[in-house]
Amino acid sequence: MSGTFITFEGGEGSGKTTQINLLEKYLCDSGRKCLLTREPGGSAGGDAIRQLLLTGAADKWHPVSETLLFQAARVEHVETLIKPALARGEIVLCDRFLDSTLVYQGISKGLGMEYVRQLYRLTLGNFMPDFTIILDIDPQIGVSRAKRRSGNETRFEHMEMEFHRKVREGFLALAVVNPGRYIVINANQSLEEVSLAVRRIFAL
Ligand code: T5A
């Protein structure tokens, strides 16, 4: 595959959506072909699963069912949207991917990262992002930012603060183990400062 697959990760309200939009605009303005997408979602089937996962009570799903749903949405997304765009040589920018399942379901919900990795390998083999940007922020600040957003996709925001702390530690731990793929950015800065830090990574 000739394109580049870049994922954005981080806790609630860390600014992923804001920054991925800014990066897409910057790349498009510079004449690069991009596909901007998100998880859960990104395909018709994935968007239907998104509604099941992100709305309703915090304890609505057993962690195993929840993980299977996230991975089912991901398979649809990768096979119908992401791989074809990479084959066309595009830059794919994705708001959350496998690392969110590793951290949210694997660590914070206690399923274990190996469980999530095995399910991923079984369904998508060794397909992986080329780069993953982790926007790191104190969850107290991130969750209060996220709560200012409107809409009903609030199921994960309603988790306890301890859950969000584990999410943050989980992302940072992944970055320590594989510094080749992950880049951590301090997200507790202005929009412009974070955006500049993102562009510097790719020498843009
Ligand atoms: N999930 C997802 C799993 O559990 N497992 C998985 O496998 C996957 C894929 C997704 C939820 O699903 C869970 C994780 C999530 O809980 P979502 O709606 O996509 O749900 O939620 P988030 O990805 O967390 O999206 P948020 O909107 O909550 O956060 P973002 O995208 O990080 O933040 P953003 O850009 O929307 O910004 C939030 C607010 O902060 C402001 C923005 O203007 C906005 O109002 N803001 C800033 N304010 C000050 N300074 C800055 N630097 C700012 N940057 C943004």
Side-chain angles (χ1 to χ4, degrees):
M1 273 178 228
S2 58
T4 308
F5 184 26
I6 301 170
T7 57
F8 277 64
E9 299 279 5
E12 316 298 301
S14 54
K16 298 173 300 301
T17 311
T18 306
Q19 292 302 328
I20 209 167
N21 282 320
L22 288 172
L23 181 60
E24 190 220 13
K25 182 174 179 332
Y26 189 84
L27 290 169
C28 285
D29 289 350
S30 350
R32 310 291 296 272
K33 276 221 135 208
C34 289
L35 173 77
L36 175 59
T37 186
R38 67 170 180 182
E39 289 207 346
S43 69
D47 279 329
I49 296 174
R50 180 179 177 97
Q51 281 310 305
L52 296 175
L53 282 166
L54 299 193
T55 59
D59 62 355
K60 176 175 160 186
W61 293 106
H62 185 281
V64 171
S65 322
E66 187 171 283
T67 305
L68 292 170
L69 284 168
F70 274 116
Q71 188 60 16
R74 181 162 304 130
V75 170
E76 287 298 308
H77 191 200
V78 168
E79 299 296 350
T80 65
L81 201 76
I82 297 177
K83 282 185 179 173
L86 292 174
R88 293 192 299 269
E90 295 177 17
I91 300 174
V92 176
L93 301 172
C94 187
D95 193 340
R96 295 194 182 277
F97 194 67
L98 165 66
D99 297 304
S100 281
T101 320
L102 286 171
V103 168
Y104 279 81
Q105 282 66 47
I107 299 179
S108 300
K109 295 225 169 164
L111 218 51
M113 284 218 218
E114 199 41 41
Y115 183 98
V116 176
R117 283 202 178 100
Q118 280 191 29
L119 178 66
Y120 184 91
R121 275 197 292 267
L122 199 63
T123 48
L124 284 170
N126 58 7
F127 177 80
M128 280 288 154
D130 297 299
F131 301 102
T132 296
I133 294 169
I134 296 174
L135 296 183
D136 177 53
I137 197 159
D138 181 328
Q140 296 273 11
I141 302 171
V143 171
S144 72
R145 277 187 192 171
K147 282 186 173 155
R148 291 202 293 268
R149 256 195 304 112
S150 54
N152 65 343
E153 292 182 343
T154 55
R155 201 178 138 238
F156 283 82
E157 281 161 33
H158 291 144
M159 300 288 178
E160 301 290 327
M161 197 43 67
E162 185 52 28
F163 177 90
H164 296 292
R165 286 205 187 88
K166 284 189 196 164
V167 165
R168 181 188 196 187
E169 284 162 18
F171 280 124
L172 293 176
L174 285 174
V176 169
V177 175
N178 186 354
R181 168 154 79 90
Y182 300 96
I183 304 110
V184 180
I185 291 179
N186 171 15
N188 193 17
Q189 308 180 74
S190 71
L191 295 183
E192 295 74 20
E193 284 168 320
V194 179
S195 171
L196 201 60
V198 169
R199 277 171 22 205
R200 275 204 198 106
I201 294 167
F202 304 106
L204 293 167

